[in-house]
Amino acid sequence: MNLIKKITLPLLALFVAATVFAFPAPSQAASEAKVIYGVNFRSSPSTSSKVYRMLKKGETVQVLSQVNSYWLKVKDKNGQVGYISSSSKYTTYSSGSGGGSTSSSNSSQLADRIIATARSLMGKVSYQYGVRNPSKYIFDCSSFVEYVFEKHGVPLPWGTKYLKNEGVSVSKSNLKKGDLVLFATGSSNTINHVGIYIGNGEFIHNTPSKNGVAINNLNTGYWKDHYVTARRVL
């Protein structure tokens, strides 16, 4: 009998300890947020993923977690789980990350990777207005920018009329790598062209004048005369 007790009691203590430590900690409570601008509700945190539907203004969602600086994992009113942009323009949700900003060092490293991807497409991409066809490497200026940023998990809209309002405005004298630079190339002053600033006064873009990706200088010639503004999105 004593032998049984000697064996049983240590085993029981071991079982209790294992149960306590193996039991998962309570998950962080979801926070409620209201949609303030229609936003795509997606199957994964990528702009190329399936869109379940558009969440409408006024809908309430449960924010389960912030995946990274650009995406939220949420549950909609029907109980479906998916992903939406973390930009503060879409919901009332706010967090310590600043609603889509990254630290200076992280954003610089991310900008370098984005620029490297853009450079790697030189000689591969052709230009066609209103087209986004990654399988054939056919883009216009804004779909090229959207594609390159999306490859690194940064969601941007397609179209200069949207890109001109993304992120925050930045002066030409304060440009950093990864900033969007925007131009008016038509007869009016309407912004209709975009590129990615790569440093030293240069930017990379998909342009009809070359029918592909080119690097030009912001401060000389044609592009100096047609430059309008810049936006910081990293």
Side-chain angles (χ1 to χ4, degrees), residues 138-172:
I138 303 173
F139 302 92
D140 63 15
C141 64
S142 60
S143 63
F144 172 74
V145 167
E146 182 269 328
Y147 172 76
V148 171
F149 274 75
E150 192 276 332
K151 294 285 282 184
H152 295 274
V154 182
L156 289 177
W158 173 14
T160 52
K161 67 179 180 179
Y162 304 114
L163 290 174
K164 68 181 182 181
N165 297 315
E166 283 294 300
V168 296
S169 177
V170 59
S171 67
K172 192 176 184 181

Side-chain angles (χ1 to χ4, degrees), residues 77-146:
K77 61 184 179 182
N78 301 316
Q80 185 171 27
V81 174
Y83 301 83
I84 62 173
S85 169
S86 66
S87 172
S88 58
K89 76 186 247 185
Y90 293 115
T91 71
T92 56
Y93 178 78
S94 63
S95 73
S97 69
S101 64
T102 59
S103 71
S104 178
S105 60
N106 287 344
S107 63
S108 178
Q109 294 169 10
L110 179 56
D112 285 338
R113 294 195 295 271
I114 288 169
I115 291 166
T117 296
R119 286 180 179 273
S120 74
L121 294 171
M122 296 182 76
K124 297 180 181 179
V125 164
S126 59
Y127 181 95
Q128 188 172 337
Y129 178 74
V131 174
R132 185 192 188 279
N133 189 338
S135 63
K136 294 185 177 181
Y137 291 114
I138 303 173
F139 302 92
D140 63 15
C141 64
S142 60
S143 63
F144 172 74
V145 167
E146 182 269 328

Side-chain angles (χ1 to χ4, degrees), residues 14-113:
L14 181 63
F15 172 77
V16 171
T19 302
V20 170
F21 287 110
F23 194 84
S27 59
Q28 186 177 2
S31 59
E32 190 173 272
K34 183 167 287 188
V35 177
I36 54 178
Y37 193 88
V39 60
N40 284 330
F41 185 44
R42 295 182 177 274
S43 60
S44 64
S46 167
T47 54
S48 61
S49 64
K50 177 183 177 182
V51 177
Y52 290 138
R53 65 185 182 90
M54 177 174 281
L55 299 180
K56 297 180 180 179
K57 179 180 178 180
E59 283 194 54
T60 298
V61 295
Q62 296 295 316
V63 179
L64 305 178
S65 65
Q66 180 151 4
V67 180
N68 54 35
S69 296
Y70 307 100
W71 293 98
L72 299 176
K73 183 178 182 180
V74 304
K75 182 186 290 186
D76 73 357
K77 61 184 179 182
N78 301 316
Q80 185 171 27
V81 174
Y83 301 83
I84 62 173
S85 169
S86 66
S87 172
S88 58
K89 76 186 247 185
Y90 293 115
T91 71
T92 56
Y93 178 78
S94 63
S95 73
S97 69
S101 64
T102 59
S103 71
S104 178
S105 60
N106 287 344
S107 63
S108 178
Q109 294 169 10
L110 179 56
D112 285 338
R113 294 195 295 271

